[in-house]
Amino acid sequence: MQTTALNILKTGNNVFITGSAGTGKTYLLNKFTFYLKSRKVIPTIVAPTGIAASHLQGQTIHSFFSLGIRSEIDDDYIESLTEKKYLQTRFSKLKVLIVDEISMVSPEMFLAMDRILRAFKKNNLSFGGVQTILSGDFFQLPPISKYPKEKRFAWQSPSWKELELKTCYLEEKFRQDDNVLISILDEIRSGTVSSNSYDILHSRFHKELDIDFTPTKLYTHNMDVDRINNDELNKINNPVKSFKYNSEGTTKNIEKIFKSSLVLEEISLKKDAVVMFIKNNHELGYVNGTTGVVVNFDKETGLPIVKTSYGSLIKLSLEDWTIENDSGNITAKVSQIPLKLAWAITIHKSQGMTLDSAEIDLSKTFEVGQGYVALSRIKNIEGLRLMGLNDKALIVDPLILHIDDRIKAASQKASDEISSVSNENLQEIFNAYILSVDGILDVDQIQAQEKVLKSEKKVVTNNPTPTHLQTKELLERSNSIDDLALKRGMSKGTIINHLRILKEQDTELNLDKFMPHAETVELVKEALEKIKNKNNPDDFSENGQPRLKPLFEALDSKVNYDDIRIVLL
């Protein structure tokens, strides 16, 4: 049960949270995060992909652990990391680590995290003695790994065993409107799909869905996806509009962005095109996987206006995809509209998404777990139109089936252990843990902190005010860009863009407290003078504003893009 799992988390043990679709793994982590923050303990939340990280307002493993594009590291690289002051500060503050979507983490990446924490914490305990919470479902598709097939999961890393994890296998179902689908998914997980479940799936063959938009088609192969999307776009008798990306940084780094994300170099759209958002922007009302239809193009910007499957209208703006160097500075950026054609997508690309409805073809399934991942994307069996099913479609990895009973047994053991402790003793354990991570126990202070957290969450999630004005509401209560970004649950780049808009609307707005150090400001000013003296038209935009790339290069990469943007404000 969630209450039991939350109690286990509060003891300070290392914990593995798992469970099937609808058991609320993310909900549990959010509750635990709120519990910690109300006691002034700020957990660090990471995930293997940006898509997964955004679910809990975290960051990628590569970014936080300064891995660049590495999955494996050696002693020399670790030594170079430990010499960096900003990383020393970052890891000195680390008290609690939450890793979401652990199923997508390869053994070598898991080992890299462990080794880095041991080095920075100067502690040879697993993960440097930091309380570590791992959450995910190993019935999902496996991560890409250099290890042979029998060793491709994080739990096969020696570091996993050393963590001595308490296991919480969540079993309480929360999607009450979805019992039929969840029952099928549970049977797939057990390796024994009943004839009744097959009958239900067969009843969804070529089923017309009661929706007023075209459902996303999930296919196993890229070839089918590309063919369907191009054919469907060509059928629309409306003018085509193409959108090419803008970029800053080296060609090599820009290529890395395209290889590691869903962003497209160029996308062609028409009015009535079916699209899917490929980035999260909770403020504007979309997440990765939100589907919709292009209903028009904005007269001023020329960018698409999308009506989502929820019925809301969204005027798009460009989104940024970035890459950081080992110092945590942004070295490359790609700006593009966060859309892709979505009559069809691959099952592999759909992992981590939630779709309102889907047309799924499992007739060419070639990898175990594909059927489970595809079916678990949708919220309800009524949202399924099944186009095909082969013998492999509902099979999951036999290795995971083999260990699933052991995971459940470990969960039962953890549940029995925590249940045997009296409430009085439990509270003492909880309090001792909070003190060990430098938290507070004063009831009045905790209640005051809870009130602040709830009000900030309300500002972020329920405020109809335009997103940049929500940022403005927090200016006085924020001491830095990082602080402001944390309160808003957004990237620094997005916050700086908000400040730019606010400055344009109110030229008297004082942003001095957000400025970088005086020497950084002087460096940017000198670089700006150099560019003005060169008078190269390519260094300036059409409205006469200096471009960031030539400034970055004139500064010999000594000042990051974010600081340059702030100084220019």
Side-chain angles (χ1 to χ4, degrees), residues 82 88 103-104 107 111 144 173 175 188 346 355 411 424 436 493 516 534 550:
T82 55
Q88 291 169 9
S103 63
M104 298 165 71
L111 179 60
I144 297 168
K173 303 294 191 298
R175 294 186 202 163
I188 295 173
T346 62
L355 299 171
S411 178
E424 186 179 346
S436 74
K534 276 174 62 181

PDB file of all heavy atoms in Angstrom, residues 82 88 103-104 107 111 144 173 175 188 346 355 411 424 436 493 516 534 550:
ATOM      1  N   THR A  82      36.179  15.876  -9.605  1.00  0.00           N
ATOM      2  CA  THR A  82      36.302  16.245  -8.186  1.00  0.00           C
ATOM      3  C   THR A  82      37.099  17.536  -7.984  1.00  0.00           C
ATOM      4  O   THR A  82      37.055  18.122  -6.900  1.00  0.00           O
ATOM      5  CB  THR A  82      36.975  15.118  -7.373  1.00  0.00           C
ATOM      6  OG1 THR A  82      38.239  14.794  -7.961  1.00  0.00           O
ATOM      7  CG2 THR A  82      36.095  13.880  -7.333  1.00  0.00           C
ATOM      8  N   GLN A  88      31.787  20.322  -6.483  1.00  0.00           N
ATOM      9  CA  GLN A  88      31.994  20.090  -5.051  1.00  0.00           C
ATOM     10  C   GLN A  88      30.824  20.669  -4.254  1.00  0.00           C
ATOM     11  O   GLN A  88      30.312  20.038  -3.326  1.00  0.00           O
ATOM     12  CB  GLN A  88      33.310  20.732  -4.597  1.00  0.00           C
ATOM     13  CG  GLN A  88      34.558  20.060  -5.154  1.00  0.00           C
ATOM     14  CD  GLN A  88      35.830  20.875  -4.906  1.00  0.00           C
ATOM     15  OE1 GLN A  88      35.803  21.858  -4.167  1.00  0.00           O
ATOM     16  NE2 GLN A  88      36.924  20.484  -5.530  1.00  0.00           N
ATOM     17  N   SER A 103      14.282   1.612 -14.874  1.00  0.00           N
ATOM     18  CA  SER A 103      14.322   0.551 -15.884  1.00  0.00           C
ATOM     19  C   SER A 103      15.077   0.978 -17.139  1.00  0.00           C
ATOM     20  O   SER A 103      15.581   0.149 -17.888  1.00  0.00           O
ATOM     21  CB  SER A 103      12.901   0.125 -16.271  1.00  0.00           C
ATOM     22  OG  SER A 103      12.208   1.213 -16.860  1.00  0.00           O
ATOM     23  N   MET A 104      15.166   2.295 -17.369  1.00  0.00           N
ATOM     24  CA  MET A 104      15.829   2.814 -18.556  1.00  0.00           C
ATOM     25  C   MET A 104      17.305   3.122 -18.303  1.00  0.00           C
ATOM     26  O   MET A 104      18.000   3.622 -19.183  1.00  0.00           O
ATOM     27  CB  MET A 104      15.109   4.088 -19.028  1.00  0.00           C
ATOM     28  CG  MET A 104      13.659   3.854 -19.426  1.00  0.00           C
ATOM     29  SD  MET A 104      12.714   5.410 -19.558  1.00  0.00           S
ATOM     30  CE  MET A 104      13.424   6.101 -21.047  1.00  0.00           C
ATOM     31  N   PRO A 107      23.408  -0.691 -16.781  1.00  0.00           N
ATOM     32  CA  PRO A 107      24.299  -1.033 -15.663  1.00  0.00           C
ATOM     33  C   PRO A 107      25.519  -0.123 -15.586  1.00  0.00           C
ATOM     34  O   PRO A 107      25.950   0.250 -14.499  1.00  0.00           O
ATOM     35  CB  PRO A 107      24.707  -2.477 -15.974  1.00  0.00           C
ATOM     36  CG  PRO A 107      23.646  -3.007 -16.865  1.00  0.00           C
ATOM     37  CD  PRO A 107      23.160  -1.841 -17.665  1.00  0.00           C
ATOM     38  N   LEU A 111      26.598   2.292 -12.453  1.00  0.00           N
ATOM     39  CA  LEU A 111      27.911   2.201 -11.828  1.00  0.00           C
ATOM     40  C   LEU A 111      28.616   3.557 -11.818  1.00  0.00           C
ATOM     41  O   LEU A 111      29.272   3.923 -10.830  1.00  0.00           O
ATOM     42  CB  LEU A 111      28.773   1.171 -12.566  1.00  0.00           C
ATOM     43  CG  LEU A 111      30.205   0.961 -12.057  1.00  0.00           C
ATOM     44  CD1 LEU A 111      30.206   0.485 -10.608  1.00  0.00           C
ATOM     45  CD2 LEU A 111      30.953  -0.019 -12.950  1.00  0.00           C
ATOM     46  N   ILE A 144      19.373   0.831 -23.609  1.00  0.00           N
ATOM     47  CA  ILE A 144      20.452   0.512 -24.540  1.00  0.00           C
ATOM     48  C   ILE A 144      21.721   0.357 -23.721  1.00  0.00           C
ATOM     49  O   ILE A 144      22.067   1.231 -22.933  1.00  0.00           O
ATOM     50  CB  ILE A 144      20.619   1.623 -25.592  1.00  0.00           C
ATOM     51  CG1 ILE A 144      19.340   1.733 -26.423  1.00  0.00           C
ATOM     52  CG2 ILE A 144      21.816   1.365 -26.489  1.00  0.00           C
ATOM     53  CD1 ILE A 144      19.270   2.971 -27.291  1.00  0.00           C
ATOM     54  N   LYS A 173      -4.458  -0.205  -6.842  1.00  0.00           N
ATOM     55  CA  LYS A 173      -4.746   0.434  -8.129  1.00  0.00           C
ATOM     56  C   LYS A 173      -5.519   1.738  -7.901  1.00  0.00           C
ATOM     57  O   LYS A 173      -6.458   1.784  -7.110  1.00  0.00           O
ATOM     58  CB  LYS A 173      -5.573  -0.488  -9.034  1.00  0.00           C
ATOM     59  CG  LYS A 173      -4.926  -1.853  -9.313  1.00  0.00           C
ATOM     60  CD  LYS A 173      -3.656  -1.719 -10.124  1.00  0.00           C
ATOM     61  CE  LYS A 173      -3.160  -3.066 -10.630  1.00  0.00           C
ATOM     62  NZ  LYS A 173      -2.811  -4.037  -9.601  1.00  0.00           N
ATOM     63  N   ARG A 175      -6.300   3.914 -10.839  1.00  0.00           N
ATOM     64  CA  ARG A 175      -7.091   4.261 -12.028  1.00  0.00           C
ATOM     65  C   ARG A 175      -8.335   3.376 -12.051  1.00  0.00           C
ATOM     66  O   ARG A 175      -8.398   2.379 -12.757  1.00  0.00           O
ATOM     67  CB  ARG A 175      -6.273   4.042 -13.304  1.00  0.00           C
ATOM     68  CG  ARG A 175      -5.076   4.961 -13.454  1.00  0.00           C
ATOM     69  CD  ARG A 175      -4.430   4.744 -14.815  1.00  0.00           C
ATOM     70  NE  ARG A 175      -3.043   5.181 -14.792  1.00  0.00           N
ATOM     71  CZ  ARG A 175      -2.132   4.836 -15.696  1.00  0.00           C
ATOM     72  NH1 ARG A 175      -2.469   4.044 -16.686  1.00  0.00           N
ATOM     73  NH2 ARG A 175      -0.907   5.280 -15.617  1.00  0.00           N
ATOM     74  N   ILE A 188      -0.174  -9.872 -18.497  1.00  0.00           N
ATOM     75  CA  ILE A 188       1.044  -9.871 -19.325  1.00  0.00           C
ATOM     76  C   ILE A 188       2.261  -9.949 -18.419  1.00  0.00           C
ATOM     77  O   ILE A 188       3.209 -10.691 -18.681  1.00  0.00           O
ATOM     78  CB  ILE A 188       1.110  -8.603 -20.208  1.00  0.00           C
ATOM     79  CG1 ILE A 188      -0.042  -8.585 -21.227  1.00  0.00           C
ATOM     80  CG2 ILE A 188       2.448  -8.521 -20.953  1.00  0.00           C
ATOM     81  CD1 ILE A 188      -0.143  -7.290 -22.023  1.00  0.00           C
ATOM     82  N   THR A 346       6.660   5.266 -33.305  1.00  0.00           N
ATOM     83  CA  THR A 346       7.105   3.921 -32.923  1.00  0.00           C
ATOM     84  C   THR A 346       6.800   3.672 -31.456  1.00  0.00           C
ATOM     85  O   THR A 346       6.749   4.601 -30.644  1.00  0.00           O
ATOM     86  CB  THR A 346       8.619   3.736 -33.145  1.00  0.00           C
ATOM     87  OG1 THR A 346       9.330   4.663 -32.309  1.00  0.00           O
ATOM     88  CG2 THR A 346       9.007   3.936 -34.591  1.00  0.00           C
ATOM     89  N   LEU A 355      -1.065   8.437 -23.617  1.00  0.00           N
ATOM     90  CA  LEU A 355      -1.888   8.835 -24.754  1.00  0.00           C
ATOM     91  C   LEU A 355      -3.358   8.675 -24.406  1.00  0.00           C
ATOM     92  O   LEU A 355      -3.754   7.740 -23.708  1.00  0.00           O
ATOM     93  CB  LEU A 355      -1.546   7.987 -25.989  1.00  0.00           C
ATOM     94  CG  LEU A 355      -0.101   8.083 -26.490  1.00  0.00           C
ATOM     95  CD1 LEU A 355       0.161   7.036 -27.567  1.00  0.00           C
ATOM     96  CD2 LEU A 355       0.180   9.478 -27.031  1.00  0.00           C
ATOM     97  N   SER A 411       9.375  -7.305  -1.203  1.00  0.00           N
ATOM     98  CA  SER A 411       8.422  -6.255  -0.836  1.00  0.00           C
ATOM     99  C   SER A 411       7.597  -6.684   0.378  1.00  0.00           C
ATOM    100  O   SER A 411       7.363  -5.893   1.294  1.00  0.00           O
ATOM    101  CB  SER A 411       7.502  -5.947  -2.024  1.00  0.00           C
ATOM    102  OG  SER A 411       6.548  -4.975  -1.687  1.00  0.00           O
ATOM    103  N   GLU A 424       4.912   4.666  17.912  1.00  0.00           N
ATOM    104  CA  GLU A 424       5.786   5.529  18.710  1.00  0.00           C
ATOM    105  C   GLU A 424       7.248   5.390  18.260  1.00  0.00           C
ATOM    106  O   GLU A 424       7.960   6.374  18.060  1.00  0.00           O
ATOM    107  CB  GLU A 424       5.655   5.169  20.192  1.00  0.00           C
ATOM    108  CG  GLU A 424       6.431   6.116  21.115  1.00  0.00           C
ATOM    109  CD  GLU A 424       6.281   5.754  22.589  1.00  0.00           C
ATOM    110  OE1 GLU A 424       5.371   4.952  22.909  1.00  0.00           O
ATOM    111  OE2 GLU A 424       7.078   6.246  23.391  1.00  0.00           O
ATOM    112  N   SER A 436      19.260  13.595  10.585  1.00  0.00           N
ATOM    113  CA  SER A 436      20.499  13.122   9.941  1.00  0.00           C
ATOM    114  C   SER A 436      20.741  13.786   8.592  1.00  0.00           C
ATOM    115  O   SER A 436      21.866  13.818   8.104  1.00  0.00           O
ATOM    116  CB  SER A 436      20.457  11.601   9.763  1.00  0.00           C
ATOM    117  OG  SER A 436      19.579  11.241   8.703  1.00  0.00           O
ATOM    118  N   GLY A 493      16.970  28.818 -18.739  1.00  0.00           N
ATOM    119  CA  GLY A 493      16.756  29.444 -20.042  1.00  0.00           C
ATOM    120  C   GLY A 493      15.346  29.984 -20.208  1.00  0.00           C
ATOM    121  O   GLY A 493      15.152  31.087 -20.727  1.00  0.00           O
ATOM    122  N   PRO A 516      24.983  38.456 -13.038  1.00  0.00           N
ATOM    123  CA  PRO A 516      26.163  37.702 -12.596  1.00  0.00           C
ATOM    124  C   PRO A 516      27.190  38.633 -11.955  1.00  0.00           C
ATOM    125  O   PRO A 516      26.961  39.846 -11.834  1.00  0.00           O
ATOM    126  CB  PRO A 516      26.686  37.089 -13.896  1.00  0.00           C
ATOM    127  CG  PRO A 516      26.162  37.957 -14.977  1.00  0.00           C
ATOM    128  CD  PRO A 516      24.859  38.516 -14.498  1.00  0.00           C
ATOM    129  N   LYS A 534      33.672  45.482 -35.075  1.00  0.00           N
ATOM    130  CA  LYS A 534      33.862  44.653 -36.282  1.00  0.00           C
ATOM    131  C   LYS A 534      32.784  44.957 -37.324  1.00  0.00           C
ATOM    132  O   LYS A 534      33.010  44.896 -38.520  1.00  0.00           O
ATOM    133  CB  LYS A 534      33.792  43.162 -35.918  1.00  0.00           C
ATOM    134  CG  LYS A 534      35.108  42.577 -35.414  1.00  0.00           C
ATOM    135  CD  LYS A 534      34.933  41.148 -34.947  1.00  0.00           C
ATOM    136  CE  LYS A 534      34.484  40.235 -36.074  1.00  0.00           C
ATOM    137  NZ  LYS A 534      34.298  38.843 -35.595  1.00  0.00           N
ATOM    138  N   PRO A 550      28.307  34.785 -31.684  1.00  0.00           N
ATOM    139  CA  PRO A 550      29.544  35.559 -31.818  1.00  0.00           C
ATOM    140  C   PRO A 550      30.035  36.132 -30.486  1.00  0.00           C
ATOM    141  O   PRO A 550      31.244  36.242 -30.255  1.00  0.00           O
ATOM    142  CB  PRO A 550      29.166  36.669 -32.802  1.00  0.00           C
ATOM    143  CG  PRO A 550      27.688  36.682 -32.890  1.00  0.00           C
ATOM    144  CD  PRO A 550      27.249  35.297 -32.580  1.00  0.00           C
TER     145      PRO A 550
END
